[in-house]
């Protein structure tokens, strides 16, 4: 007797045990392992791509957060902008002192690029080959303000800043071929002794290509007028917003619009935002790969149904119901997808670990991403195996045996 859905009473009464369904579902996989592996590989590649993309992005973000926590987000920079008529403005000579008087400011330092002065390894170097290095007059507290560290030697102090001594940024030292302190280089047309070499400064990368000298010697030998081109300040975390709003009016009360204030940590955050946009694109490509893998599973299951018509007919003749046949082939598709999902999750995690290790990042793969990845493969497997399972269940026993 058939019910309104086309099934029979035997379909509703007869049930297979879970272990029997699992054993039947693995029959096709065990019989054709090469085909099963190749089909699961398509799913694995799609899941691995998606997990690796999310994992690498999460690891990069974890590194950025650790970096920002270490460097701090309370560093602000002040520089001159444009005047009302589009001309280059200048910061007043008293800028560093004024900024230091703002409530909440803890540290302040200044730097000024010396126009027309270039840096050379020796007097024999062609003057057209300056290497793009700037000569910068700096205040004594600048290194502490920007959170810089010394790779070698010492920072400028009240004693050395009045003499022809220089501290090189990391890239400046590399381009000049200076690896140790005590070397003599040409700043302008005058010999200066290298007393220090800095490590890279993440929040002030412009200093990496600078040859830094004291304000006193800059005024004496290069006519420095005391007007900084960049001022760096650190304030308490809770006062960053207030200080940022006060800086333009404090530095230049007559024309605050000519003063530009920025936060270097925002540039690192913007870079992370750009990486996130690129991550979205890669996730889309991974989804396409996963879809292709699901089509591969569906194709494999359709072929499996066609090849096993005699098996289906024999099982139906021996009493297997349509529900039993549907369960068998649907379970087979789910197992095939789960195999690919687990393998893809492991592969994606491995790729993330390798990339994180190479870039010195912490490995960060969110557990929910792994669960979502494997869950997505099961959904895809169920969808891909549904039609072949229904087709197998509707195969008449007589035609299956005769075929």
């Amino acid at each position: 007797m058939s019910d309104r859905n086309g099934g029979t009473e035997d379909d509703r009464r007869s049930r297979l045990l879970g272990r029997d369904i699992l054993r039947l579902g693995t029959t096709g996989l065990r019989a054709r392992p090469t085909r099963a592996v190749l089909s699961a590989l398509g799913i694995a590649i799609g899941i691995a791509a998606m997990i690796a993309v999310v994992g690498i992005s999460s690891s990069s973000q974890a590194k950025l957060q650790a970096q920002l926590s270490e460097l701090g987000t309370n560093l602000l920079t002040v520089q001159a902008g444009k005047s009302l008529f589009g001309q280059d403005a200048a910061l007043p000579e008293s800028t560093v002192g004024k900024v230091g008087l703002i409530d909440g400011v803890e540290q302040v330092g200044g730097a000024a690029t010396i126009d027309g002065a270039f840096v050379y390894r020796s007097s024999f170097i062609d003057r057209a080959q300056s290497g793009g290095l700037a000569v910068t007059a700096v205040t004594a507290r600048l290194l502490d303000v920007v959170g810089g560290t010394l790779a070698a030697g010492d920072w400028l102090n009240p004693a050395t800043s009045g003499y022809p001594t220089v501290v090189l940024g990391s890239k400046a030292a590399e381009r000049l071929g200076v690896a140790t302190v005590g070397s003599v280089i040409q700043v302008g047309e005058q010999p200066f002794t290298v007393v220090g070499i800095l490590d890279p400064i993440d929040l002030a990368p412009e200093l990496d290509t600078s040859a830094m000298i004291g304000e006193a010697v800059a005024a004496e030998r290069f006519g420095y007028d005391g007007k900084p081109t960049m001022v760096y300040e650190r304030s308490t975390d809770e006062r960053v917003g207030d200080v940022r709003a006060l800086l333009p009016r404090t530095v230049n009360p007559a024309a605050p619009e000519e003063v530009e204030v920025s936060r270097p940590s925002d540039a690192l955050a913007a870079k992370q935002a750009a990486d996130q946009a690129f991550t979205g694109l890669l996730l889309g490509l991974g989804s396409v790969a996963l879809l292709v893998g699901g089509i591969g599973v569906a194709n494999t299951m359709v072929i499996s149904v066609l090849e096993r018509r005699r098996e289906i007919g024999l099982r139906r003749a021996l009493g297997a119901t349509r529900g039993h046949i549907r369960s068998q082939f649907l379970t087979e598709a789910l197992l095939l997808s789960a195999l690919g999902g687990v393998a893809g999750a492991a592969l994606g995690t491995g790729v993330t670990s390798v990339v994180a290790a190479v870039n010195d990042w912490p490995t960060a793969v969110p557990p929910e991403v792994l669960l979502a990845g494997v869950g997505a493969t099961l959904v895809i497997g169920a969808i891909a195996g549904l039609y072949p399972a229904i087709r197998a269940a509707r195969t008449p026993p007589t035609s299956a045996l005769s075929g």
Side-chain angles (χ1 to χ4, degrees):
M1 178 178 179
S2 298
D3 59 17
R4 68 181 63 186
N5 295 321
T8 64
E9 292 182 359
D10 289 339
D11 287 333
R12 298 196 302 273
R13 289 197 298 263
S14 179
R15 294 289 185 269
L16 280 174
L17 297 177
R19 61 175 180 271
D20 294 328
I21 296 177
L22 185 62
R23 178 176 55 80
L24 289 171
T26 60
T27 300
L29 305 183
R30 288 183 281 109
R32 299 169 180 82
T34 302
R35 179 189 296 175
V37 170
L38 292 177
S39 298
L41 186 61
I43 292 285
I45 291 174
I47 288 297
M50 298 181 71
I51 290 178
V53 167
V54 174
I56 292 172
S57 176
S58 299
S59 299
S60 174
Q61 188 172 8
K63 174 65 175 180
L64 175 63
Q65 294 302 324
Q67 187 178 19
L68 290 178
S69 298
E70 180 181 355
L71 298 175
T73 57
N74 60 343
L75 176 67
L76 297 178
T77 61
V78 180
Q79 60 183 330
K82 298 288 186 179
S83 68
L84 184 62
F85 301 101
Q87 299 175 336
D88 292 332
L91 295 177
E93 185 178 344
S94 59
T95 298
V96 173
K98 288 181 177 179
V99 172
L101 296 175
I102 298 177
D103 185 26
V105 173
E106 297 180 330
Q107 295 176 308
V108 60
T113 302
I114 306 300
D115 294 331
F118 299 98
V119 187
Y120 305 95
R121 182 64 180 87
S122 73
S123 59
F124 301 102
I125 301 297
D126 184 354
R127 290 304 182 253
Q129 300 178 1
S130 64
L133 305 179
V135 179
T136 307
V138 298
T139 60
R141 299 189 63 185
L142 179 63
L143 186 66
D144 294 332
V145 178
V146 298
T149 56
L150 285 156
D154 298 299
W155 178 248
L156 297 171
N157 56 51
T160 59
S161 61
Y163 292 92
T165 56
V166 60
V167 174
L168 298 177
S170 59
K171 291 183 180 178
E174 180 182 344
R175 293 177 188 176
L176 292 171
V178 176
T180 58
V181 297
S183 302
V184 177
I185 63 173
Q186 294 287 310
V187 177
E189 296 297 332
Q190 306 177 45
F192 273 65
T193 302
V194 177
V195 296
I197 300 174
L198 299 183
D199 290 317
I201 304 176
D202 294 317
L203 293 182
E206 62 276 2
L207 297 179
D208 292 340
T209 55
S210 295
M212 289 156 276
I213 61 177
E215 290 184 303
V217 73
E220 177 188 343
R221 303 200 178 196
F222 300 103
Y224 171 51
D225 59 4
K227 295 181 179 180
T229 53
M230 183 82 78
V231 174
Y232 305 82
E233 72 81 28
R234 282 191 186 271
S235 54
T236 56
D237 291 333
E238 60 273 11
R239 294 300 305 276
V240 171
D242 296 335
V243 171
R244 187 169 189 170
L246 290 172
L247 280 171
R249 288 175 287 168
T250 301
V251 172
N252 192 347
E257 69 280 357
E258 296 180 3
V259 179
E260 295 182 354
V261 180
S262 60
R263 184 160 62 171
S265 59
D266 290 345
L268 294 177
K271 179 180 179 298
Q272 180 65 27
D275 291 342
Q276 291 292 337
F278 187 62
T279 296
L281 174 62
L282 294 179
L283 278 175
L285 295 177
S287 300
V288 172
L290 187 60
L291 178 61
V292 172
I295 294 173
V297 170
N299 182 61
T300 297
M301 295 307 302
V302 169
I303 294 175
S304 180
V305 169
L306 294 176
E307 291 180 345
R308 296 162 65 184
R309 285 172 59 86
R310 289 183 178 275
E311 173 192 336
I312 296 169
L314 181 60
R315 289 197 60 218
R316 290 297 309 279
L318 293 176
T321 66
R322 291 183 176 181
H324 296 164
I325 301 299
R326 280 196 301 267
S327 298
Q328 174 185 350
F329 283 91
L330 191 57
T331 300
E332 186 172 327
L334 289 172
L335 290 174
L336 190 58
S337 298
L339 177 64
V342 172
L347 181 60
T349 303
V351 171
T352 300
S353 300
V354 171
V355 173
V358 170
N359 291 278
D360 194 24
W361 297 342
T363 301
V365 181
E368 58 270 20
V369 173
L370 296 175
L371 295 176
V374 176
T377 61
L378 293 177
V379 172
I380 289 176
I383 296 174
L386 186 60
Y387 169 72
I390 294 176
R391 179 173 179 174
R394 290 180 175 178
T395 302
T398 53
S399 62
L401 289 172
S402 62

